[in-house]
Amino acid sequence: MQPPTNLSFTSEDLKSWYNSLLQPLLNPTGTLKSRVIHSYSTVFSGFVATLTTEEVKQLEKIDGFLKAFPDRLLPLMTTHSPAFLGLNIGSGLWEKFGMGKGVIIGVIDTGITPGHPSFDDTGMPAPPSKWKGRCEFQSSVCNRKLIGAQNFVQDIQMDDNSPPIDDEGHGTHTASTAAGNFVSNANMLGSGNGTAAGTSPRAHLAIYKACSEIGCSESNVLAAMDAAINDGVDILSLSLGGGPSSFDEDSIAIGSFAAIQKGIVVSCAAGNGGPSPFLLSNAAPWILTVGASTMDRKFKAVVTLGDGQEIEGESLFQTTNVPFTPIVHPPSCDDLGDVKGKIVVCVSSVAAGDNVKAAGGAAMILTNKDTQGYTILAQAFDLPASIVNYVNGTTILSYVEKSQNATASITFKGTTLGNSTAPTIAYFSSRGPSQQTLEILKPDIVGPGVNILAAWPDQVGEFATKLTKNFNIISGTSMSTPHLSGIAALIKSMHPNWSPAAIKSAMITTSQLLDNNGNPIMDEKNNPADHFSMGAGHVDASKAINPGLVYDISPEEFIGLLCGLGYTDKQVQTITNEKVACKKVKKIEQTQLNYPSITTSASTSNLIVNRTVTNVGTANAKYTAEVVMPKGVTVSVSPKVLQFSNVNEKQSFTVSMSWTPANSAYIAGNLNWVSGENIVRIPIVIYKSP
């Protein structure tokens, strides 16, 4: 809803004007209360209110009306992970580049647990002078680490001034993953013990509670983004999303466009809809879309079968070993029958642990389903248990079915590090292509999102002792997103003038395609991961600080893309909060956007694209093109050498490609620009869209 353009409006003026359009209503105390729940001044010009269909029709007649859409509920989508990412206390990237000092990360989630040691401000500098936010806790609660906290989850029928306490846990976990301070002896039930820290432990945190245990109202999320942008955050981290949606109907896409116009990096979860394709959340090209991968840490619970086979599984509850005991696989783990004193095998059942314990089972083995493959989400059941991957699960089930007197034991071996097959792609991590932009590679990148230990409000598990340092281990793209948010803060701290697209490019072009054993990153089925599951690759924090070259994109170029995608002027205005006439805008095709990847849906057998890179390394730098593609694809680059005289100098090049259509169901390779130790890599993906 656009106010009259001939007048100047403050945010309070806007709210008053919106209220004037609506009849007030009585709240339960009998006093008049505004019908406007939230009003927006930055993400777009508009408001949230409870309206009848007839009232919406009346508003549509007012000059300046653009669009009305219903509020939706969006779902919510660590000790070792910093070290796995090459971030170590007293050395390397953290030691050299300040651990995110001076950067403000805004986390939009379920709130925060104030007083948790992860949010202690020891070693923290004062917040930057630009900070304009507020703290809705008592003044003694916020500090130099937790510099702001606001609550946007309100009951529209009652005045609700409650502080943004985290009643769910999700927000506390994500905030500490991004920027938690150092906490020694952090663990969950003894598992994962070590020093916990976020990926940017000296960054400041600004918390915006927009979600509860039932999810996140889009209107609350948008209000939180509006506030965060005005408060002066540098990074926005959102571990939530609503699945594929047109950008003009996607609150996060709309809010994040306003953010990148202010120079704010927006890092969002790709979603937990994998392994099926086309189910990405937060796929707008101006967003960093983050998938989830595993780490090299395991919480071992080894199953030994009666025939001598040893099967590796995992469990967060590392308890007393279970000796050889009869093992059974009942037809249903909801109706177990007589399993007292036995080890019970169940297949991927959420309630299996409670059911087995209630039935008197001695222990449980939980096997993955086929779609879950090799990804193990460790859990803490209230009885001895081991969770095994799909292949190992079939081995166990086969043994039980073929043996008349099947037995097994479970041996708990604690937390182990250095497992060679990591990272791998988590089965749940949502896959591309994006339904909205089939020829822009999404997700962008992956980071640790499986079995992540981070701060939590309450003690976890029936067997926990009372401690003040509460931590929990959970999984999801919700967990990978704040890892990348923290790494974006590290880059922003060192390069404060870089645009959001440049910071994004730095992470994408330096990402890794190999696991820590030097082999290609695998997916949940132990097949080589494709780019629609891992994006460009797995984040490499140490290399992202100095990428050499970046592929920059201005907000104006994104507007050209939107017009090129066929959005109407009103739809583009809804997204960008500015009047746009697409007939006057230079339209940009998806393949021609200066994105750090080249993706085509293979409807033809050739493609010519142009890209521009900016030298952010050293003066007098020379880069040589190197193309890695399978047979059947011809790629030429012109010019083949880029010679930069100055830092921040831009140079353009053309990539010409041809291929055989019959062989292009999915073909992938890379274009590398190489200069000494700098390898600036972008994926090239050719595929057939449905």
Side-chain angles (χ1 to χ4, degrees):
M1 177 70 72
Q2 297 287 322
T5 56
N6 61 333
L7 299 175
S8 177
F9 284 86
T10 66
S11 58
E12 286 303 312
D13 291 335
L14 280 171
K15 190 169 185 178
S16 297
W17 184 70
Y18 296 140
N19 273 317
S20 72
L21 302 176
L22 305 170
Q23 291 294 321
L25 80 164
L26 289 172
N27 71 9
T29 63
T31 59
L32 287 174
K33 183 178 179 181
S34 166
R35 296 182 69 186
V36 175
I37 302 167
H38 299 301
S39 64
Y40 308 113
S41 62
T42 302
V43 293
F44 60 45
S45 296
F47 62 91
V48 179
T50 302
L51 302 172
T52 65
T53 303
E54 186 58 35
E55 287 172 325
V56 173
K57 290 180 180 178
Q58 292 300 315
L59 286 175
E60 289 174 349
K61 300 175 183 179
I62 298 175
D63 186 40
F65 178 90
L66 279 177
K67 184 178 182 128
F69 41 90
D71 200 1
R72 294 187 302 162
L73 199 64
L74 307 178
L76 291 162
M77 302 293 199
T78 161
T79 50
H80 181 58
S81 56
F84 183 69
L85 294 169
L87 303 173
N88 297 289
I89 301 172
S91 65
L93 182 60
W94 273 353
E95 180 70 10
K96 292 180 181 178
F97 300 115
M99 297 185 282
K101 281 185 180 178
V103 177
I104 303 169
I105 302 176
V107 179
I108 298 177
D109 213 295
T110 61
I112 193 107
T113 303
H116 193 286
S118 289
F119 310 122
D120 180 83
D121 66 355
T122 300
M124 290 294 301
S129 59
K130 69 171 184 173
W131 173 243
K132 300 176 184 176
R134 68 180 189 269
C135 178
E136 294 180 356
F137 292 115
Q138 294 180 353
S139 58
S140 60
V141 172
C142 285
N143 54 27
R144 290 171 296 175
K145 166 61 73 176
L146 179 59
I147 63 173
Q150 298 178 48
N151 184 12
F152 294 88
V153 179
Q154 299 175 351
D155 185 338
I156 66 172
Q157 297 299 323
M158 300 291 291
D159 290 323
D160 185 354
N161 297 315
S162 60
I165 292 287
D166 184 7
D167 299 316
E168 202 276 343
H170 194 271
T172 298
H173 198 280
T174 57
S176 65
T177 301
N181 213 335
F182 297 99
V183 182
S184 60
N185 298 317
N187 65 82
M188 179 199 168
L189 306 180
S191 293
N193 190 59
T195 297
T199 48
S200 197
R202 289 292 177 259
H204 306 282
L205 280 168
I207 301 302
Y208 301 87
K209 181 174 180 176
C211 310
S212 65
E213 64 277 0
I214 64 171
C216 314
S217 162
E218 275 194 297
S219 60
N220 292 343
V221 172
L222 204 55
M225 297 181 81
D226 197 69
I229 294 167
N230 291 321
D231 288 346
V233 304
D234 299 296
I235 314 292
L236 266 175
S237 186
L238 292 91
S239 292
L240 51 102
S245 181
S246 175
F247 298 146
D248 65 311
E249 297 179 351
D250 183 340
S251 61
I252 295 176
I254 293 168
S256 61
F257 194 91
I260 63 124
Q261 287 180 306
K262 299 289 187 180
I264 300 167
V265 179
V266 184
S267 173
C268 293
N272 300 331
S276 298
F278 298 104
L279 295 178
L280 278 171
S281 296
N282 303 315
W286 47 90
I287 291 173
L288 179 69
T289 309
V290 184
S293 56
T294 65
M295 294 190 297
D296 63 345
R297 177 175 62 189
K298 291 185 178 180
F299 311 100
K300 287 189 176 180
V302 178
V303 177
T304 303
L305 302 179
D307 62 2
Q309 294 185 83
E310 287 194 356
I311 306 293
E312 187 176 277
E314 297 192 53
S315 175
L316 294 179
F317 180 39
Q318 296 281 314
T319 184
T320 304
N321 294 338
V322 179
F324 276 100
T325 302
I327 181 173
V328 295
H329 175 224
S332 169
C333 283
D334 295 322
D335 184 12
L336 292 167
D338 182 13
V339 297
K340 189 172 183 179
K342 299 175 183 178
I343 297 175
V344 181
V345 183
C346 292
V347 179
S348 190
S349 170
V350 174
D354 292 338
N355 293 343
V356 173
K357 183 179 180 182
M364 179 181 69
I365 297 171
L366 190 66
T367 77
N368 275 0
K369 295 185 294 187
D370 178 40
T371 54
Q372 297 169 314
Y374 285 84
T375 304
I376 294 180
L377 308 185
Q379 299 178 57
F381 294 103
D382 289 338
L383 79 167
S386 179
I387 306 171
V388 301
N389 66 43
Y390 174 72
V391 173
N392 285 340
T394 58
T395 299
I396 294 171
L397 291 172
S398 175
Y399 164 74
V400 172
E401 291 170 3
K402 293 178 180 179
S403 302
Q404 291 185 347
N405 298 300
T407 61
S409 66
I410 303 177
T411 305
F412 297 95
K413 296 191 175 182
T415 304
T416 64
L417 304 176
N419 300 286
S420 60
T421 308
T424 62
I425 305 304
Y427 78 85
F428 56 77
S429 187
S430 289
R431 313 297 160 96
S434 162
Q435 292 185 23
Q436 290 71 43
T437 50
L438 292 169
E439 294 188 308
I440 295 176
L441 183 62
K442 287 286 180 173
D444 290 303
I445 200 164
V446 295
V450 176
N451 301 332
I452 303 301
L453 185 142
W456 199 255
D458 304 304
Q459 275 305 132
V460 178
E462 178 181 322
F463 304 97
T465 57
K466 294 296 182 183
L467 299 173
T468 58
K469 297 184 291 190
N470 298 340
F471 290 86
N472 194 10
I473 293 174
I474 55 178
S475 302
T477 53
S478 283
M479 285 62 256
S480 53
T481 298
H483 281 99
L484 274 293
S485 303
I487 293 171
L490 295 176
I491 301 171
K492 182 73 173 180
S493 178
M494 291 308 303
H495 305 289
N497 297 322
W498 283 12
S499 70
I503 291 174
K504 213 174 116 172
S505 172
M507 290 188 276
I508 290 172
T509 61
T510 58
S511 61
Q512 295 297 308
L513 294 174
L514 303 179
D515 64 23
N516 56 4
N517 204 35
N519 296 317
I521 293 174
M522 310 301 274
D523 66 12
E524 74 286 346
K525 293 292 189 71
N526 209 28
N527 297 317
D530 66 31
H531 287 292
F532 293 126
S533 62
M534 66 175 174
H538 187 274
V539 65
D540 187 327
S542 60
K543 290 184 178 179
I545 288 288
N546 180 27
L549 305 175
V550 294
Y551 293 75
D552 209 352
I553 309 174
S554 67
E556 291 72 26
E557 289 173 281
F558 288 123
I559 292 174
L561 173 72
L562 290 169
C563 291
L565 288 169
Y567 283 87
T568 67
D569 292 353
K570 279 191 173 183
Q571 288 173 321
V572 176
Q573 185 176 349
T574 299
I575 298 166
T576 65
N577 196 26
E578 59 184 73
K579 288 190 175 181
V580 173
C582 279
K583 65 182 180 181
K584 298 180 180 180
V585 171
K586 180 182 177 181
K587 296 180 176 64
I588 298 176
E589 296 179 4
Q590 295 177 59
T591 55
Q592 301 301 330
L593 184 69
N594 198 44
Y595 215 74
S597 62
I598 298 171
T599 306
T600 178
S601 58
S603 57
T604 62
S605 59
N606 57 78
L607 179 69
I608 298 175
V609 302
N610 299 302
R611 292 289 187 269
T612 299
V613 288
T614 304
N615 177 29
V616 294
T618 60
N620 301 313
K622 178 182 176 181
Y623 284 83
T624 303
E626 175 184 279
V627 176
V628 181
M629 289 295 291
K631 291 182 179 180
V633 181
T634 301
V635 178
S636 63
V637 182
S638 179
K640 294 181 179 179
V641 175
L642 300 178
Q643 183 72 52
F644 296 90
S645 300
N646 303 304
V647 177
N648 295 323
E649 180 182 345
K650 295 179 182 292
Q651 290 203 31
S652 299
F653 60 91
T654 299
V655 180
S656 302
M657 303 164 45
S658 62
W659 60 91
T660 304
N663 298 329
S664 57
Y666 177 86
I667 301 172
N670 303 291
L671 167 59
N672 305 323
W673 286 104
V674 182
S675 178
E677 294 184 357
N678 279 114
I679 301 176
V680 186
R681 178 183 59 82
I682 63 171
I684 299 175
V685 178
I686 303 168
Y687 77 103
K688 285 185 177 179
S689 61

